[in-house]
Amino acid sequence: MIRDWLIKKILPRALWIYHVNCGACNGCDIEVLDTLTPYYDAERFGIRLVGSPRHADALVLCGPMTRQTAPAVRRAYEAVPDPKVVFAIGSCATGGGMWHDTYNVLGGADQVLPVDFYVPGCPPRPEAILHGVATALGLTTKEVKAMRAIQEGSDVEIEDLPEEQWLVQEQD
Amino acid sequence: MGVLKTLWSKLKQAILALKPGRVTLGYPFTPREPEEGFRGLPRVDVNRCIGCGGCAEVCPARCIRVVDTDQTTRVLCFLHERCTFCGRCAEVCPVNAIEMTKEFELSTDDPHEDLVGEYHIWMGPCERCGRCFEAPSALDRLKRTGMRCDEIDAKCAIACPAGVEADSEETKS
Ligand code: SF4
Ligand code: SF4
Ligand code: SF4
């Protein structure tokens, strides 16, 4: 509650981001840099990269959070002054991507840090990253919705299926 | 003289830079369509899917799970939070039921809630083992009795050897 309020208060100002690679293949990192070029111009929203987490308002995490990087990322997170926002960029950071169950990967940024916004994509287009940041800033609205459907001719409508019988939530 | 030369070269650069005009995109305030061939979120056309499970077999991120909830219902569970948008599922699908849409604005604050797809497919049961086997023919479709979850009533819950509890108002949808 207080956190949401603080985020609302802080975010409309300039948002300085610190970019962390937690084991990404560099695809997402390139797209994050792309977002900062004049063509996409994230600086319109006051976004700029800073060199130290102590100067940052937001962490931008790319990659599936490998075992090796997790302690460093945690330290970087602790160094960011409150209130802080964490963005997970890419399918890897969102849910572990292709590596979600490998032995040296913890499976997504949210296994280590509380993440506020997720931008899936492999890598996400710069527009998708901009959309994620703009949604966090309250400039645009969330577009994606869960899709549930039953094949034609069923006597049950998908809306009638009680929530306990939705299957996807059981998946890890 | 040197100063003038430098000034002139800078002026030339400024003129060159002015020529292309403004290149910054208006996105997110103006929409921007992805290019031809862009692969966004895969979506399944349930009415076409035959439930073969080929997409789950090839998915490199293993984000498709196939669950048979009963003898005639197969559910494809898509977990798009780790989908890599590779398009393998759409490529392998024998009936082209999967379409790689152009949806790319997928940012969310709750991926477990928003980035999922759940598709319930009707199957014909195998005559020997009784499990989901193949897509029902037109005749099979006529014989369908409904999903098992709607048939659980208090009576069969008492008799159920697996101890399924039915709270008849909710499960009987
Ligand atoms: S999401 Fe894709 S592009 Fe980004 S780090 Fe993972 S594998 Fe690389
Ligand atoms: S696009 Fe690729 S990763 Fe995504 S569901 Fe299809 S096969 Fe799996
Ligand atoms: S979507 Fe296509 S590949 Fe996947 S189960 Fe259905 S028919 Fe088979």
Side-chain angles (χ1 to χ4, degrees), chain B residues 81-148:
Chain B
E81 64 173 41
R82 57 172 181 253
C83 173
T84 56
F85 307 97
C86 60
R88 289 278 282 139
C89 50
E91 189 183 280
V92 82
C93 179
V95 288
N96 291 331
I98 302 186
E99 186 204 355
M100 300 304 285
T101 61
K102 295 223 181 294
E103 286 174 49
F104 68 93
E105 291 161 330
L106 306 177
S107 56
T108 168
D109 47 2
D110 188 1
H112 305 292
E113 184 59 42
D114 295 325
L115 289 168
V116 297
E118 187 178 316
Y119 306 95
H120 297 246
I121 320 286
W122 288 104
M123 305 289 286
C126 168
E127 285 188 3
R128 298 264 171 128
C129 67
R131 298 200 193 148
C132 291
F133 180 52
E134 58 183 352
S137 63
L139 198 64
D140 287 336
R141 280 172 187 264
L142 285 179
K143 287 194 284 193
R144 279 196 311 225
T145 50
M147 295 172 68
R148 183 161 297 171

Side-chain angles (χ1 to χ4, degrees), chain B:
Chain B
M1 202 55 204
V3 178
L4 271 184
K5 218 172 181 177
T6 325
L7 220 71
W8 175 237
S9 84
K10 290 281 173 232
L11 212 64
K12 257 205 307 209
Q13 275 175 23
I15 291 166
L16 271 184
L18 280 177
K19 211 184 255 168
R22 211 183 124 141
V23 289
T24 305
L25 295 176
Y27 193 85
F29 305 111
T30 54
R32 183 150 191 258
E33 280 298 306
E35 297 74 21
E36 197 52 45
F38 175 81
R39 294 193 302 266
L41 205 66
R43 291 289 197 200
V44 180
D45 180 353
V46 260
N47 293 329
R48 257 203 229 162
C49 174
I50 54 170
C52 66
C55 46
E57 176 74 21
V58 296
C59 175
R62 299 178 295 295
C63 62
I64 307 171
R65 193 174 60 156
V66 179
V67 188
D68 295 345
T69 51
D70 61 60
Q71 288 174 331
T72 51
T73 318
R74 173 163 281 181
V75 186
L76 296 183
C77 307
F78 277 69
L79 212 67
H80 296 302
E81 64 173 41
R82 57 172 181 253
C83 173
T84 56
F85 307 97
C86 60
R88 289 278 282 139
C89 50
E91 189 183 280
V92 82
C93 179
V95 288
N96 291 331
I98 302 186
E99 186 204 355
M100 300 304 285
T101 61
K102 295 223 181 294
E103 286 174 49
F104 68 93
E105 291 161 330
L106 306 177
S107 56
T108 168
D109 47 2
D110 188 1
H112 305 292
E113 184 59 42
D114 295 325
L115 289 168
V116 297
E118 187 178 316
Y119 306 95
H120 297 246
I121 320 286
W122 288 104
M123 305 289 286
C126 168
E127 285 188 3
R128 298 264 171 128
C129 67
R131 298 200 193 148
C132 291
F133 180 52
E134 58 183 352
S137 63
L139 198 64
D140 287 336
R141 280 172 187 264
L142 285 179
K143 287 194 284 193
R144 279 196 311 225
T145 50
M147 295 172 68
R148 183 161 297 171
C149 62
D150 4 306
E151 290 166 5
I152 296 179
D153 57 25
K155 223 191 289 164
C156 84
I158 291 167
C160 177
V164 175
E165 280 187 23
D167 126 18
S168 40
E169 277 320 302
E170 278 205 2
T171 38
K172 219 175 171 184
S173 46

Side-chain angles (χ1 to χ4, degrees), chain A residues 134-149:
Chain A
T135 309
L137 294 171
L139 299 172
T140 46
T141 47
K142 193 164 80 175
E143 305 272 335
V144 65
K145 274 206 302 283
M147 176 99 162
R148 294 176 205 276

